[in-house]
């Protein structure tokens, strides 16, 4: 059986599968698939479904297919297919040669439709889309039979073939399943199986002018591929009776469908059609905007695939819906980056400091630790000289209580360097502090004083002569409300967009060791957060995205929760 069964936590899906293996349903095989519709880029919700399908297959030593459910040529594009493949590979999953398309089954699905017509289980209907909607009834009211419901098998076969041959205009006829217009489940009220639509399909071109609906395609595609367990999100629960009906009437291989809760995150929108609106409306700079919770956006922001997989594993798999705190996603990311990200010094809001008793032309090389969490990552040399930048925030002329950083007359430690003491403050005509004059204690090289005195704070810094100018982009939540769909009447989620979600700071200064950094490289800037190099970087200018600040709000939430329990 499974390789990792003992080490990974169980969940209700695995319990069902294990049970099926015991009873030898599906000859002891497990075969799953991830079935995206190529009508947008993948988001973090899809990552959950991808992890469930690929990880479960792996644990039971079975394959997982990638299948594009490409039944809607109006909204689907090759760009989306390419991005979906890139994102799944980036997450670390491999579908090998099992890349399938529902459109490859169009001929087979057509045969299935003929089979149902011949069994008297499907009919051609001349009602318009509006009329079908009107006669479908409601949750409390049964639907009404279509006047075309009792067409003969011969007439249906003839009309359906002519639909395919292009004899009728778009939308003029449909093929419908003949089930039950008074069923308590609206999906069973003679659902549409085929519609007439003259649209060029990204893969089948103009070969077809009738297209199967998603509902008539999805279950049969799983069946054709020999899928044993169709794992899908909860909104398909109400469709399951219909999928069962099709498979039973067609008398073909019948996968077991199991539904799990969709992922929701606070302050976040996870629906492709809404994400498209953000992209097309220009609220963000494309699908991979680092503020988007698309996989390409998270990647550009600096998320690691490992942290996303870890997140998906730790939120678990359940049937009941809940909203996950975005702080938990960030917590998983910090866990990963803390172990792996090399530390560097960078100053975002520079304040010039002249160390008066340090020789004018001297440059020293100081040893800096690359990652205190992992000493095997070694050390590096960083230059130190007379004029440096520190962070504006790290100085106050009149320090309030509990402000332990630099102030007139006060001594602080410079990371990996010396203790400095502020002896004078230089201001411009408007009274803004533009420079500090300090002295250093040569005996404190490396950060310790022989007399044992210990400054309360250690500041990060870079030298003015050696540092590299850079642009830094800071991101905040894209939406101001916990639930972005919470809007006044007549408005939509875009009215909750945070106008301050992007802050560009330039120039910033980073230590010279970063000069060869490449787009995608990730590191920690000490005391500031985790950053990565944005692809907008050029030879002339490095651009950094702040992936996430250091402060871990999730750890705080957990601590508070623990306190409450005590
Ligand atoms: P969207 O609403 O964003 O368009 P979708 O469900 O229509 O999503 P598909 O391309 O059909 O998008 O999704 C492929 C698979 O991913 C489906 O099996 C779906 O159940 C799953 N999925 C989509 N969104 C989520 C989510 N938020 N949480 C868990 N699974 C999801
Ligand atoms: Mg869908």
């Amino acid at each position: 059986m499974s390789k990792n069964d003992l080490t990974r936590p169980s969940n209700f899906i695995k319990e069902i599968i294990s049970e099926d293996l015991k009873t030898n349903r599906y000859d002891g095989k497990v075969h799953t698939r991830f079935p995206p519709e190529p009508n947008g880029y993948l988001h973090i919700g899809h990552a959950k479904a991808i992890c469930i399908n690929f990880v479960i297959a792996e644990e039971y030593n079975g394959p997982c297919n990638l299948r594009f459910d490409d039944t809607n040529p109006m909204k689907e594009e090759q760009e989306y297919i390419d991005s979906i493949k890139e994102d799944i590979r980036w997450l670390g999953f491999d579908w090998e040669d099992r890349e399938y398309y529902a459109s490859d089954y169009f001929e087979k699905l057509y045969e299935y439709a003929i089979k149902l017509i011949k069994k008297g289980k499907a009919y051609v209907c001349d009602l318009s889309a509006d009329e079908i909607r009107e006669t479908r009834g409601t949750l409390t009211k049964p639907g009404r039979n279509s006047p075309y419901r009792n067409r003969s098998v011969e007439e249906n076969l003839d009309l359906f073939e002519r639909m395919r041959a292009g004899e009728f205009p778009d939308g003029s006829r449909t093929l419908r399943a003949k089930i039950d217009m008074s069923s308590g489940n609206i999906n069973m009220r003679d659902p549409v199986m085929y519609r007439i639509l003259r649209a060029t399909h990204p893969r089948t071109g103009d070969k077809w002018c009738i297209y199967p609906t998603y509902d008539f395609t999805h279950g049969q595609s799983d069946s054709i591929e020999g899928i044993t367990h169709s794992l899908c999100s909860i909104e398909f629960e109400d469709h399951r009776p219909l999928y069962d009906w099709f498979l039973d009437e067609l008398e073909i291989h019948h996968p077991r469908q199991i539904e799990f809760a969709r992922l929701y995150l606070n302050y976040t929108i996870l629906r492709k059609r809404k994400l498209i609106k953000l992209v097309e409306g220009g609220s963000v700079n494309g699908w991979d905007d680092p503020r988007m919770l698309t996989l390409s956006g998270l990647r550009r922001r600096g998320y690691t695939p490992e942290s996303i997989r870890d997140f998906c594993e730790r939120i678990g798999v359940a049937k009941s819906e809940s909203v996950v705190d975005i702080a938990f996603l960030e917590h998983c990311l910090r866990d990963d980056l803390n172990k792996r990200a090399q530390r560097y010094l960078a100053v975002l809001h520079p304040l010039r400091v002249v160390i008066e008793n340090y020789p004018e032309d001297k440059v020293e090389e100081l040893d800096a630790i690359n990652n205190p969490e992992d000493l095997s990552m070694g050390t590096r040399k960083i230059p130190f000289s007379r004029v440096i930048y520190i962070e504006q925030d790290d100085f106050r002329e009149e320090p309030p209580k509990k402000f332990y950083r630099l102030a007139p007359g006060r001594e602080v430690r410079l990371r990996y360097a010396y203790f400095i003491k502020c002896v004078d403050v230089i201001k411009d005509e408007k009274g803004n502090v533009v420079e500090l004059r300090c002295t250093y204690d040569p005996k404190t090289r490396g950060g310790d004083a022989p007399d044992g005195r210990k400054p309360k704070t250690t500041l990060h810094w870079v030298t003015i002569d050696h540092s590299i100018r850079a642009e830094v982009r800071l991101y905040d939540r894209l939406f101001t409300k916990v639930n972005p769909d919470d809007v006044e009447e007549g408005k939509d989620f875009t009215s909750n967009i945070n106008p301050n979600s992007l802050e560009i700071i330039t120039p910033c200064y980073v230590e010279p060791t970063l000069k060869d950094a490449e787009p995608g490289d990730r590191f920690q800037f000490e005391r500031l957060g985790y950053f990565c190099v944005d692809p907008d970087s050029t030879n002339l200018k490095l651009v950094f995205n702040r992936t996430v600040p250091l402060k871990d709000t999730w750890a705080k939430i957990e601590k508070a929760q623990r306190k409450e329990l005590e």
Side-chain angles (χ1 to χ4, degrees):
M1 229 185 62
S2 90
K3 10 180 179 168
N4 298 324
D5 224 17
L6 298 173
T7 54
R8 287 179 188 264
S10 188
N11 61 47
F12 83 97
I13 297 180
K14 289 205 242 172
E15 275 161 28
I16 296 173
I17 295 179
S18 294
E19 202 48 46
D20 283 348
L21 287 175
K22 264 190 222 148
T23 59
N24 217 29
R25 189 173 170 163
Y26 307 122
D27 303 326
K29 291 201 188 87
V30 176
H31 193 160
T32 62
R33 85 288 171 263
F34 173 65
E37 196 185 338
N39 61 352
Y41 281 57
L42 297 180
H43 51 64
I44 182 85
H46 293 113
K48 175 177 176 175
I50 292 168
C51 288
I52 290 176
N53 279 293
F54 277 94
V55 171
I56 284 184
E58 190 184 285
E59 288 189 30
Y60 289 96
N61 292 319
C64 176
N65 297 357
L66 170 61
R67 184 182 67 248
F68 292 97
D69 271 337
D70 53 348
T71 56
N72 187 355
M74 305 294 280
K75 292 196 175 147
E76 294 160 5
E77 286 173 28
Q78 186 62 38
E79 179 194 344
Y80 299 142
I81 293 179
D82 296 339
S83 75
I84 288 170
K85 294 202 291 189
E86 185 185 354
D87 289 347
I88 301 174
R89 273 198 206 101
W90 177 71
L91 275 181
F93 296 111
D94 188 2
W95 57 94
E96 296 167 335
D97 58 352
R98 296 177 309 279
E99 178 176 325
Y100 300 119
Y101 294 81
S103 54
D104 293 341
Y105 312 139
F106 280 173
E107 198 62 54
K108 188 92 204 157
L109 291 166
Y110 182 80
E111 282 170 29
Y112 286 157
I114 299 276
K115 183 165 175 182
L116 291 182
I117 294 174
K118 286 187 176 158
K119 282 180 86 173
K121 299 289 182 181
Y123 62 98
V124 172
C125 178
D126 300 359
L127 296 181
S128 67
D130 283 341
E131 288 164 332
I132 289 180
R133 207 170 306 119
E134 279 157 27
T135 51
R136 193 164 44 200
T138 63
L139 283 176
T140 49
K141 226 176 69 197
R144 277 177 282 131
N145 282 351
S146 160
Y148 306 97
R149 202 172 196 263
N150 293 320
R151 276 181 164 149
S152 68
V153 169
E154 290 66 37
E155 191 183 1
N156 281 322
L157 280 175
D158 174 60
L159 285 172
F160 188 52
E161 273 160 27
R162 288 163 62 196
M163 275 169 67
R164 176 180 184 171
E167 283 189 33
F168 310 118
D170 284 9
S172 61
R173 289 194 157 98
T174 56
L175 183 73
R176 296 177 70 180
K178 193 169 179 176
I179 310 180
D180 178 5
M181 287 307 290
S182 58
S183 168
N185 183 339
I186 294 184
N187 293 310
M188 302 296 275
R189 295 183 189 167
D190 291 11
V192 172
M193 295 161 55
Y194 270 89
R195 60 223 195 272
I196 306 175
L197 182 66
R198 282 168 180 80
T200 305
H201 189 283
R203 290 179 61 88
T204 57
D206 294 318
K207 180 168 184 221
W208 295 88
C209 66
I210 55 172
Y211 287 98
T213 55
Y214 185 87
D215 276 348
F216 186 63
T217 308
H218 184 75
Q220 282 75 267
S221 300
D222 281 348
S223 170
I224 292 168
E225 291 176 17
I227 301 305
T228 57
H229 296 84
S230 302
L231 313 177
C232 45
S233 45
I234 200 80
E235 72 272 23
F236 291 102
E237 193 169 30
D238 291 346
H239 295 245
R240 178 160 25 99
L242 175 59
Y243 298 172
D244 286 343
W245 186 90
F246 282 135
L247 296 170
D248 289 344
E249 291 296 341
L250 290 168
E251 300 160 73
I252 54 179
H253 166 71
H254 196 142
R256 181 203 276 275
Q257 176 172 315
I258 307 170
E259 303 88 11
F260 55 84
R262 285 177 82 89
L263 170 68
Y264 295 94
L265 280 171
N266 58 8
Y267 297 100
T268 305
I269 289 280
L270 291 184
R271 293 235 79 131
K272 279 177 283 181
R273 72 191 151 82
K274 290 184 179 167
L275 296 177
I276 285 179
K277 227 174 152 175
L278 295 174
V279 174
E280 288 179 350
S283 312
V284 295
N285 303 315
W287 284 98
D288 67 346
D289 187 300
R291 291 166 292 181
M292 296 269 272
L293 290 196
T294 52
L295 294 180
S296 50
L298 290 165
R299 175 164 65 236
R300 186 163 179 182
R301 175 89 170 242
Y303 273 76
T304 61
E306 292 81 1
S307 64
I308 294 176
R309 287 173 67 158
D310 183 44
F311 168 76
C312 290
E313 174 140 354
R314 286 163 76 177
I315 54 173
V317 184
K319 249 186 145 50
S320 59
E321 311 241 288
S322 64
V323 179
V324 177
D325 195 322
I326 186 119
F328 184 62
L329 176 64
E330 295 179 344
H331 175 73
C332 294
L333 176 67
R334 283 192 196 92
D335 259 9
D336 188 30
L337 289 177
N338 183 40
K339 286 179 255 148
R340 301 204 281 160
Q342 180 162 337
R343 275 58 167 168
Y344 290 94
L345 300 183
V347 172
L348 302 194
H349 298 99
L351 173 60
R352 186 181 153 93
V353 175
V354 177
I355 304 167
E356 294 184 327
N357 59 339
Y358 195 91
E360 292 257 358
D361 43 12
K362 184 170 171 183
V363 181
E364 277 182 88
E365 297 260 285
L366 302 173
D367 289 312
I369 295 169
N370 288 335
N371 185 352
E373 297 288 321
D374 179 3
L375 294 178
S376 75
M377 287 172 72
T379 60
R380 68 188 184 285
K381 298 275 185 204
I382 49 173
F384 183 77
S385 57
R386 180 180 153 94
V387 191
I388 62 170
Y389 287 129
I390 64 165
E391 210 68 61
Q392 286 169 18
D393 272 2
D394 282 335
F395 173 79
R396 288 286 185 89
E397 196 172 13
E398 287 164 33
K401 250 192 175 165
K402 292 193 176 166
F403 183 90
Y404 298 121
R405 303 175 223 171
L406 200 56
R410 193 183 279 177
E411 188 174 61
V412 296
R413 180 190 288 116
L414 293 179
R415 182 81 158 143
Y416 304 124
Y418 296 97
F419 295 1
I420 55 166
K421 188 181 203 169
C422 177
V423 293
D424 201 4
V425 179
I426 316 281
K427 296 181 184 174
D428 63 11
E429 324 72 81
K430 290 189 214 122
N432 300 312
V433 176
V434 291
E435 182 179 301
L436 303 180
R437 309 295 287 195
C438 292
T439 56
Y440 86 115
D441 177 353
K443 293 197 287 297
T444 57
R445 191 178 201 262
D448 292 303
D451 63 6
R453 70 185 195 280
K454 285 199 166 32
K456 280 214 167 79
T457 301
T458 302
L459 305 186
H460 58 276
W461 54 273
V462 294
T463 62
I464 292 192
D465 280 348
H466 308 94
S467 59
I468 310 170
R469 285 163 74 105
E471 173 179 314
V472 167
R473 299 176 182 169
L474 303 184
Y475 301 100
D476 197 357
R477 296 181 175 121
L478 192 49
F479 296 97
T480 52
K481 283 216 175 135
V482 182
N483 171 11
D485 282 319
D486 172 13
V487 286
E488 288 165 38
E489 225 182 284
K491 293 200 169 165
D492 76 356
F493 69 99
T494 54
S495 63
N496 285 327
I497 288 181
N498 175 4
N500 304 313
S501 58
L502 169 63
E503 184 189 348
I504 297 178
I505 320 179
T506 184
C508 304
Y509 296 89
V510 303
E511 62 169 83
T513 20
L514 281 166
K515 69 177 188 318
D516 297 323
E518 304 257 355
D521 287 354
R522 310 178 185 94
F523 9 71
Q524 184 191 102
F525 289 164
E526 293 203 27
R527 298 178 69 226
L528 296 173
Y530 293 99
F531 291 76
C532 77
V533 182
D534 190 85
D536 282 349
S537 297
T538 62
N539 287 341
L540 298 176
K541 188 174 75 174
L542 278 171
V543 178
F544 294 92
N545 295 316
R546 184 169 68 189
T547 312
V548 67
L550 290 179
K551 193 181 71 187
D552 191 335
T553 43
W554 180 257
K556 267 197 200 145
I557 293 169
E558 265 190 332
K559 210 168 152 191
Q561 285 170 345
R562 266 203 303 275
K563 273 218 177 104
E564 236 166 65
L565 289 174
E566 276 165 17

